[in-house]
Amino acid sequence: MDQKSVLFTQLADMGLSGNETVLIHSSYKSMGPIEGGPEAVLDYLMEYFADGLLVLPTHTWAYIHAKNPEFHVASSPTNVGILTELFRQREGVYRSYHPTHSVAAFGKDAATFVEGAEQFDTPCARGSAWGKLLDREAKILLVGVDLRRNTFIHGIEEWVDIPGRITDTQEELYVVRPDGTRISVPSRRHTPTSWSEHFWKVDEVLQETGAMWLGKLGEAEVRICDTVRLTEVLTEMLEAYPDLFSDNEPLREDQRHFFREEGNKEDTVKK
């Protein structure tokens, strides 16, 4: 098979038909040699998901802040990889107006999907693109990266209202639209502690509960997350253990067996 056919087969093997809404976090280098480079990868992804919605993060949180407050939708580069930077510049791709946690989308309802990000003052508000992923029952592909790069989990923590994750005060940030108009978007930020570096600890639980499974894309290992099941599992765990991601230690035994215990309780009730 040629390279495109191999990648398309791998996507199909992940359970993806091409009609879905899919968000992709990626390490391009992890895919191994790709003839045509990152542009070819984007060509293949945009073709495969032509009847769905393809979304990539185009974050700028690393350099948009109080001392450098202007996010230019049309020109501010991403800080999350080469595929995201090239994707945002492509014809037919729409970028959201969030100053630090924007996304870019291509395909079905792309323009509508990215609308409204500037209305919220948090990184992953339920009404933003991050919440819309859940509404659309999207899949998240972690290509050559692990759960520590899954921004959607920040969203779940935000929606459950885990304390200490977002600053109490706002920064005065601004969005410069493609037409040059400038709007104020006061924004709260993730607190300095790198909570996402602790997300790895639920890897096994997510696989065991069917919220995540593994695949391949090129030479890269891919974690495929179902946003609905992922939200169900982590919401239950965070409500029971608000400190779940507060340290970088493996899960405690009670946390590891949480869903088995819950299942046993349900079986006992049914009997």
Side-chain angles (χ1 to χ4, degrees), residues 94-97 103-105 109-118 129 132:
Y94 296 84
R95 192 180 193 181
S96 67
Y97 288 3
V103 301
D109 306 321
T112 303
F113 180 80
V114 302
E115 285 180 352
E118 68 277 15
K132 292 177 186 178

Side-chain angles (χ1 to χ4, degrees), residues 35-234:
E35 185 177 351
E39 295 283 11
V41 172
L42 292 175
D43 288 343
Y44 300 148
L45 290 173
M46 293 170 78
E47 180 179 344
Y48 192 84
F49 292 105
D51 294 325
L53 182 67
L54 177 64
V55 185
L56 270 66
T58 52
H59 299 172
T60 52
W61 47 260
Y63 67 92
I64 299 295
H65 45 64
K67 293 182 179 179
N68 182 44
E70 286 194 349
F71 165 61
H72 293 254
V73 176
S75 61
S76 289
T78 79
N79 56 246
V80 282
I82 184 63
L83 292 179
T84 68
E85 176 60 11
L86 295 173
F87 181 68
R88 73 164 184 85
Q89 301 176 60
R90 287 204 160 197
E91 185 177 353
V93 172
Y94 296 84
R95 192 180 193 181
S96 67
Y97 288 3
H98 195 283
T100 61
H101 284 72
S102 66
V103 301
F106 172 82
K108 189 176 181 180
D109 306 321
T112 303
F113 180 80
V114 302
E115 285 180 352
E118 68 277 15
Q119 299 173 13
F120 306 101
D121 76 340
T122 59
C124 303
R126 182 62 181 83
S128 73
W130 299 99
K132 292 177 186 178
L133 290 170
L134 176 58
D135 295 336
R136 296 174 70 101
E137 301 182 0
K139 302 297 187 294
I140 296 172
L141 273 58
L142 305 174
V143 179
V145 297
D146 60 26
L147 288 168
R148 293 175 295 177
R149 299 297 174 263
N150 192 344
T151 304
F152 188 81
I153 298 178
H154 279 302
I156 299 173
E157 285 196 306
E158 184 175 322
W159 309 334
V160 177
D161 197 20
I162 300 300
R165 295 305 192 255
I166 301 173
T167 59
D168 294 327
T169 57
Q170 297 174 330
E171 288 186 329
E172 288 299 323
L173 303 182
Y174 300 89
V175 171
V176 181
R177 297 187 180 108
D179 65 5
T181 57
R182 184 175 183 260
I183 58 174
S184 174
V185 184
S187 300
R188 298 159 64 197
R189 302 183 68 96
H190 289 133
T191 52
T193 302
S194 299
W195 305 111
S196 60
E197 292 302 306
H198 310 161
F199 291 167
W200 62 271
K201 61 201 297 180
V202 294
D203 194 295
E204 291 183 9
V205 168
L206 296 182
Q207 291 188 58
E208 289 172 0
T209 55
M212 184 177 79
W213 57 98
L214 302 180
K216 295 278 288 186
L217 193 62
E219 296 178 4
E221 182 175 65
V222 181
R223 285 169 166 77
I224 306 100
C225 299
D226 178 273
T227 55
V228 175
R229 186 62 178 141
L230 181 68
T231 302
E232 291 172 348
V233 170
L234 290 186

